[in-house]
Amino acid sequence: MSFIIGLILGIIVYSFFRCIAGGLYTVSPDQRAVVTSFGKADRLRAVEPPPGDEGASGLSSEEQNRYEYPQVRVVRPGGPYFKMPWQDVHKVSVATQAVDLSWDPSKSQDTIEAVTKDNLTTGINGQLRYRISESNLYPYLFGVASPLEHVMGYFVSVLRERVANFVDPKGQNLLAATAPEGEPEMSTSAVDLSEGVSINDLRKNLPLLNQYMEEQCRSTTGRYGIELDAALITEIDPPAEVDRALSAINSTRNQVAADLSTARADSEQQITMSARAVEIATNNAQAEVAPLRELAQTLTEIKKEGGSSCLRAYLRNARIPLYSIANRVIETTDKGEPG
C-alpha cells in the first residue's frame, strides 16, 4: 500500500516539475521565439502583398513560387510564458552578427579563392554582417537544415561570378566618353585606360563590389530568413608571384604617369613662355613704330595745311638741333628731285 502511495506521490511531483516548473520560459530582448505543438508551428492567416510589392523581397516571380513560406506566430521578448509538455520553444537571436567570408563548416580555410577575368586565381577575405529576419522566421527554423551555410554558399557563388566578369566601369565610361572627343581628352585618360588588370580593377572598386553583393543577396531574406546587412570585402590577395608582377606593373605605370605629368608640365611651361615672348616682341615693335607713325601723321598735316614750302621749312628747322650735336654731316643731292 505504501508503495502505491509513494508511486502516486512521485508521479505528482514529476508532473509538477515537468508540466508546471518546466513549462515556464522567458524570451530575452535580442531573441524571438516560435512555439510548436507536436512539431507544427502556429501559422498566421496569409496576407496578400500589396499591389506593386512583388519585387520587394528581391525574388523573381519563379522564386516567389518556390520559396513561398507561411508566416508563424512569434513570441516577443518578455515572460515568463507557459508552454504545455507537448510544445517546444524555438528561440533565435535577431541581433546583428558577423561571420568571416572564409567560414565553412565542411572544411578549414583562411580565404576563399576566385578566378578573375584574366584567369588569375586570387584570394578574397572579409566579413559578412547579417541578422535573422523577424518577419520570416519559418525558412530559418524549418525551411533549410543550415541556413547560414546556405547563405554563405549563395554569397560566395555570386561573388565568384562577379569577380570572373568584373570590368572597371570607369574604364568603360572613359572609352565611351573619349571616342567622340578630341585628342586632349584621350591623352588625359591614357594612363587610366592602360589599367586593364582585373585584380587592380577589383582593388580599386571594392566599394562598388560590396554594393553589388548587397543588392544581389537581398533575396536571402525570402530564401533563408537571413537578412544581409552589409558585405565587407576588405582583402583581395593574389599569389605571391602574381603580386610581385602586379607590383612591377604598378611601379612602371606610376613611373609612366610621373613622366607624362612632367612632360606635360614642361610643354605647358614652354608654350606659356613662348606666348609671353611673342607678346613682349609685339609690344616692343609697336613701341618703335608708334613715334614714326606720329611723325608721319604730323608731316602729312603740315603739308596738307601749309604746302610743300612749309614742309621744307619744318624739315630745315628740325635739322638745326641735329647739326649742333652731330660730329660729321654727309649731305647728298638728288638731281632728279624737283626744285
Side-chain angles (χ1 to χ4, degrees):
M1 186 65 182
S2 61
F3 173 76
I4 295 175
I5 295 175
L7 179 62
I8 293 174
L9 291 176
I11 292 174
I12 293 173
V13 172
Y14 173 79
S15 300
F16 174 79
F17 285 101
R18 180 71 176 85
C19 299
I20 305 300
L24 298 177
Y25 67 96
T26 59
V27 180
S28 61
D30 63 335
Q31 288 183 332
R32 302 293 184 271
V34 174
V35 179
T36 58
S37 300
F38 298 107
K40 183 178 180 180
D42 186 9
R43 303 186 179 187
L44 301 178
R45 186 168 56 184
V47 178
E48 294 294 334
D53 195 37
E54 288 78 5
S57 61
L59 298 175
S60 62
S61 57
E62 187 271 336
E63 290 175 333
Q64 286 181 359
N65 295 329
R66 194 197 320 170
Y67 297 103
E68 186 177 3
Y69 295 111
Q71 293 292 323
V72 295
R73 189 177 302 281
V74 178
V75 180
R76 300 285 177 176
Y81 298 104
F82 180 76
K83 72 178 184 65
M84 301 305 292
W86 55 85
Q87 291 182 323
D88 293 322
V89 179
H90 304 268
K91 298 180 182 179
V92 295
S93 175
V94 294
T96 301
Q97 304 176 56
V99 61
D100 291 337
L101 291 182
S102 59
W103 178 82
D104 191 340
S106 61
K107 60 182 178 182
S108 177
Q109 57 182 2
D110 297 328
T111 182
I112 59 173
E113 294 183 348
V115 181
T116 66
K117 192 175 183 181
D118 300 335
N119 202 24
L120 296 175
T121 301
T122 183
I124 300 177
N125 213 333
Q127 278 193 339
L128 187 66
R129 283 210 306 259
Y130 69 95
R131 60 175 174 267
I132 300 172
S133 175
E134 181 180 348
S135 60
N136 199 22
L137 284 178
Y138 188 91
Y140 180 81
L141 291 173
F142 313 111
V144 292
S146 180
L148 184 57
E149 188 175 355
H150 280 74
V151 169
M152 292 303 298
Y154 179 76
F155 182 87
V156 172
S157 300
V158 175
L159 177 61
R160 283 175 173 163
E161 185 273 338
R162 183 57 175 168
V163 169
N165 298 283
F166 187 84
V167 178
D168 187 7
K170 182 181 178 183
Q172 287 185 333
N173 295 335
L174 288 175
L175 282 173
T178 54
E181 298 293 338
E183 294 182 357
E185 291 292 338
M186 295 182 65
S187 61
T188 302
S189 60
V191 177
D192 296 330
L193 293 177
S194 65
E195 299 288 337
V197 181
S198 296
I199 294 179
N200 285 338
D201 295 342
L202 288 168
R203 283 174 168 172
K204 289 191 308 179
N205 296 277
L206 278 181
L208 183 64
L209 184 62
N210 287 325
Q211 181 182 357
Y212 175 83
M213 295 305 300
E214 292 175 9
E215 293 176 354
Q216 292 299 315
C217 294
R218 192 176 301 166
S219 62
T220 56
T221 304
R223 286 170 176 260
Y224 312 113
I226 294 180
E227 183 178 351
L228 181 64
D229 186 59
L232 303 173
I233 300 172
T234 56
E235 298 179 8
I236 297 181
D237 296 326
E241 59 275 13
V242 177
D243 199 15
R244 286 194 294 270
L246 288 175
S247 299
I249 292 174
N250 292 333
S251 299
T252 304
R253 183 190 311 115
N254 293 335
Q255 183 63 39
V256 171
D259 293 343
L260 284 176
S261 299
T262 303
R264 187 177 295 112
D266 291 342
S267 62
E268 291 177 354
Q269 184 179 8
Q270 293 294 330
I271 292 173
T272 303
M273 293 177 63
S274 300
R276 185 65 57 86
V278 170
E279 184 180 357
I280 293 173
T282 302
N283 292 335
N284 291 336
Q286 291 177 350
E288 291 179 359
V289 169
L292 299 178
R293 288 181 175 175
E294 185 69 22
L295 179 59
Q297 185 178 0
T298 302
L299 296 177
T300 302
E301 291 178 355
I302 291 173
K303 186 177 181 179
K304 182 178 178 181
E305 295 178 358
S308 299
S309 59
C310 184
L311 181 60
R312 284 194 294 273
Y314 175 81
L315 292 177
R316 184 178 65 251
N317 294 333
R319 290 192 188 102
I320 292 174
L322 296 178
Y323 288 151
S324 62
I325 61 176
N327 295 326
R328 188 173 56 180
V329 177
I330 299 174
E331 186 174 0
T332 61
T333 58
D334 188 1
K335 295 181 180 180
E337 183 180 359

